[in-house]
Amino acid sequence: MKSLTEQDIRGSFVNCSKGEAKRLFVPRDLGELAWDDLDFLGWRDPGAPDRSYLVTERADQGRPVGVALRFQPARRGFLHRSMCSLCLTTHPRGGVSLMTARRAGAAGREGNSVGAYMCTDLACSLYLRDRKVPDSGMRIEESLTLEEQIARTLGNLYGFLDKV
Ligand SMILES: [Zn+2]
């Protein structure tokens, strides 16, 4: 994806208030990130261990779209192997978490949310490119090319964002 500024990111959130978007934690090293290797940017909030954020440039909408997520950090032994629903990487316990996003607009104000299992560190882009290796040391052998895997991951991500 192309690089985003802090302002782009704060303006991209679809499921939080303007005030929340202004206050939430945004990484400070945006200028140093390898954006070419990212299909989306995901990060955790160091001040709130149950919060993560995800922003992607939606090619089909021509704008960045961000969502605020919540998750229950997995307890040891609680989750066994599980698979990220975006990049299909499998991780041992704790490596995948159920991320929930409050829905945008009125549905969210009524308390509705949507959830999906994702890599807890939201580093799907790096797992796809073998820049990061899951703790298990492997990904499922894929017959698809990297481009096809990226397209599939983005398709899965857009599907999730559409539900938000
Ligand atoms: Zn993933």
Side-chain angles (χ1 to χ4, degrees):
M1 63 189 285
K2 69 175 188 190
S3 66
L4 298 174
T5 64
E6 181 180 337
Q7 203 178 5
D8 294 332
I9 291 173
R10 293 196 188 281
S12 74
F13 284 94
V14 295
N15 70 338
C16 42
S17 71
K18 281 210 169 80
E20 286 168 327
K22 210 167 138 185
R23 289 189 304 271
L24 61 80
F25 173 80
V26 170
R28 293 182 183 88
D29 59 349
L30 296 173
E32 294 144 44
L33 294 179
W35 291 92
D36 287 344
D37 287 342
L38 295 178
D39 307 310
F40 65 84
L41 176 64
W43 68 96
R44 289 176 71 165
D45 187 332
D50 63 337
R51 290 189 196 202
S52 291
Y53 306 99
L54 185 164
V55 176
T56 191
E57 181 82 39
R58 279 200 71 157
D60 56 342
Q61 296 183 0
R63 68 184 193 97
V65 173
V67 287
L69 302 166
R70 294 221 170 196
F71 69 103
Q72 277 292 338
R75 291 187 196 133
R76 281 188 82 75
F78 177 68
L79 265 180
H80 298 292
R81 288 191 82 71
S82 32
M83 186 185 274
C84 170
S85 67
L86 303 180
C87 68
L88 311 190
T89 300
T90 57
H91 294 271
R93 54 183 171 238
V96 169
S97 297
L98 178 62
M99 301 284 181
T100 56
R102 193 173 71 204
R103 291 189 58 204
R109 284 192 294 276
E110 285 164 19
N112 293 307
S113 62
V114 291
Y117 285 93
M118 299 181 192
C119 296
T120 304
D121 58 7
L122 297 172
C124 303
S125 310
L126 303 182
Y127 293 120
L128 289 179
R129 289 162 179 78
D130 293 326
R131 297 284 163 86
K132 197 167 180 182
V133 178
D135 284 340
S136 57
M138 56 178 285
R139 292 186 67 236
I140 291 172
E141 208 53 53
E142 294 258 19
S143 56
L144 299 182
T145 65
L146 176 60
E147 283 67 33
E148 289 167 335
Q149 292 179 54
I150 290 169
R152 181 182 60 197
T153 300
L154 284 175
N156 293 337
L157 177 60
Y158 290 2
F160 175 71
L161 294 175
D162 286 342
K163 286 191 249 168
V164 177

